[in-house]
């Protein structure tokens, strides 16, 4: 009966903010959290956390109450003890708490050890089950530089991202989003990504071989490595140049900007005119730049690319 009641309340909580407000007024929020924290039956515990995850959705008046009821602490405790299926429900709780939480609330959640516990259990989860874990980490990484830096220093964090690249399309995109946040933060964090045994190579492989929507996600991290890290020489540029020239040829404005930005970094940062030489190794690269000047509606892009063309032919 407790399991059925928790399931029903979870479905009610998913109906919207008015339903969640009514549940808080009736005392159902406290009852569900108490059930999730003290119930001995694992099946009931998992269902109770499903219900709590729906209560954590925003907008909703019970969001702050979940912190007051010490839900992050309960997540940290139970993530190490419950089944993989229950860990997934716990991770969905942290997805919603980190997506809408204030800086202080996210700090509070991290300090409980909830993120560490999810990282520890992640080895037991398949690609679908990993999605809420990765999304939680991404929400934290999208916060302050200190929050991002704290994640990068956690055991297994970068290894988990490396594992997710090459799994299902959905989890790969989640992991690439996390990496784009990590590489946009501090130089020390970029250096940690570069020092990892496989991450830069995996990003390069994606830009070389995947479809444009996945390539775009990887390109953000590669450009962050060059800009925040301060040196495009950290990248396997001979492999990347053909792919970024294809970006310039695309009809996607964001891809075009990424391609132009990367080529400009090559010209600006590489010594001894290596940037133009790399571009000469790609068939049709100069033609792609000249075509872009002719067709773009963006004055800034036209100006940057015109300067690149002049530099190319002066080299």
């Amino acid at each position: 009966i407790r399991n059925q009641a928790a399931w029903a309340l979870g479905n009610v909580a998913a109906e919207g903010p008015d339903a969640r407000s009514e549940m808080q007024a009736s005392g159902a929020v406290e009852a569900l959290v108490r059930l999730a924290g003290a119930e001995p039956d694992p099946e009931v515990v998992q269902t109770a956390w499903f219900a709590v995850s729906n209560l954590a959705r925003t907008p909703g008046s019970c969001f702050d109450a979940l912190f007051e009821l010490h839900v992050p602490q309960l997540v940290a405790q139970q993530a190490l003890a419950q089944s993989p299926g229950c860990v997934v429900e716990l991770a969905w709780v942290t997805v919603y708490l980190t997506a809408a939480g204030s800086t202080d609330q996210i700090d509070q959640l991290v300090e409980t050890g909830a993120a560490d516990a999810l990282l520890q259990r992640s080895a037991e989860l398949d690609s679908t089950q990993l999605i809420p874990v990765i999304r939680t980490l991404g929400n934290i990484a999208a916060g302050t530089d200190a929050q991002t830096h704290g994640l990068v220093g956690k055991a297994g964090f970068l290894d988990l991202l490396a594992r997710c690249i090459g799994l299902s399309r959905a989890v790969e995109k989640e992991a690439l989003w996390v990496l784009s946040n990590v590489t946009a933060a501090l130089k020390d964090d970029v250096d940690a990504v570069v020092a990892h045994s496989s991450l830069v190579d995996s990003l390069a492989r994606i830009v070389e071989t995947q479809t444009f929507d996945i390539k775009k996600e990887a390109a953000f991290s590669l450009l962050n490595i060059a800009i925040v890290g301060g040196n495009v020489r950290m990248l396997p540029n001979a492999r990347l140049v053909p792919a970024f020239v294809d970006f310039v040829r695309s009809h996607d404005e964001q891809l075009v900007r990424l391609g132009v930005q990367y080529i400009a970094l090559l010209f600006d940062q590489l010594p001894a005119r290596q940037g133009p030489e790399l571009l000469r190794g790609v068939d049709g690269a100069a033609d792609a730049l000249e075509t872009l000047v002719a067709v773009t509606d963006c004055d800034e892009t036209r100006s940057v690319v015109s300067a690149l063309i002049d530099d190319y032919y002066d080299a």
Side-chain angles (χ1 to χ4, degrees), residues 37-212:
E39 169 62 40
D41 184 334
E43 183 180 2
V44 177
V45 172
Q46 182 170 333
T47 304
W49 282 117
F50 153 75
V52 173
S53 73
N54 283 336
L55 286 169
R57 297 186 185 205
T58 54
S61 60
C62 60
F63 184 85
D64 290 340
L66 296 177
F67 283 89
E68 294 165 5
L69 292 167
H70 307 295
V71 165
Q73 288 87 337
L74 290 172
V75 169
Q77 294 164 12
Q78 297 212 5
L80 295 175
Q82 298 295 336
S83 68
C86 189
V87 171
V88 173
E89 299 299 347
L90 290 163
W92 280 116
V93 174
T94 60
V95 166
Y96 295 122
L97 294 181
T98 54
S102 66
T103 297
D104 288 344
Q105 286 172 326
I106 293 174
D107 283 340
Q108 178 185 333
L109 184 145
V110 172
E111 287 166 5
T112 66
D116 301 84
L118 293 175
L119 278 169
Q120 188 171 329
R121 295 299 301 277
S122 64
E124 304 168 49
L125 307 181
D126 63 28
S127 60
T128 301
Q129 292 174 319
L130 281 170
I131 287 175
V133 175
I134 298 299
R135 195 169 298 175
T136 294
L137 299 174
N139 289 340
I140 297 170
T144 65
D145 285 351
Q147 289 168 341
T148 306
H149 186 63
L151 267 186
V152 174
K154 291 187 181 299
F157 172 67
L158 293 179
D159 288 338
L160 175 59
L161 297 184
R163 174 191 165 201
C164 290
I165 295 175
L167 292 180
S168 70
R169 181 182 183 85
V171 76
E172 185 172 68
K173 288 190 77 169
E174 296 279 351
L176 290 172
W177 170 63
V178 180
L179 267 177
S180 69
N181 286 324
V182 168
T183 54
L186 302 174
K187 185 178 185 303
D188 285 348
D189 298 331
V190 173
D191 291 343
V193 171
V194 172
H196 189 273
S197 61
S198 66
L199 281 173
V200 172
D201 181 73
S202 294
L203 291 170
R205 175 182 51 76
I206 289 169
V207 169
E208 289 176 300
T209 63
Q210 290 276 31
T211 54
F212 273 128

Side-chain angles (χ1 to χ4, degrees), residues 208-270:
E208 289 176 300
T209 63
Q210 290 276 31
T211 54
F212 273 128
D213 61 326
I214 300 291
K215 287 183 177 185
K216 184 189 297 185
E217 299 298 326
F220 287 128
S221 290
L222 289 167
L223 284 169
N224 286 341
I225 288 169
I227 295 167
V228 179
N231 201 326
V232 77
R233 282 175 286 187
M234 295 177 178
L235 302 178
N237 293 301
R239 295 170 56 189
L240 295 176
V241 172
F244 277 94
V245 170
D246 283 342
F247 285 9
V248 172
R249 294 190 181 106
S250 78
H251 299 290
D252 183 303
E253 290 184 8
Q254 192 172 39
L255 281 173
V256 169
R257 286 196 296 272
L258 290 171
V260 170
Q261 188 176 16
Y262 172 74
I263 293 170
L265 284 168
L266 291 180
F267 279 37
D268 183 56
Q269 291 191 12
L270 291 183

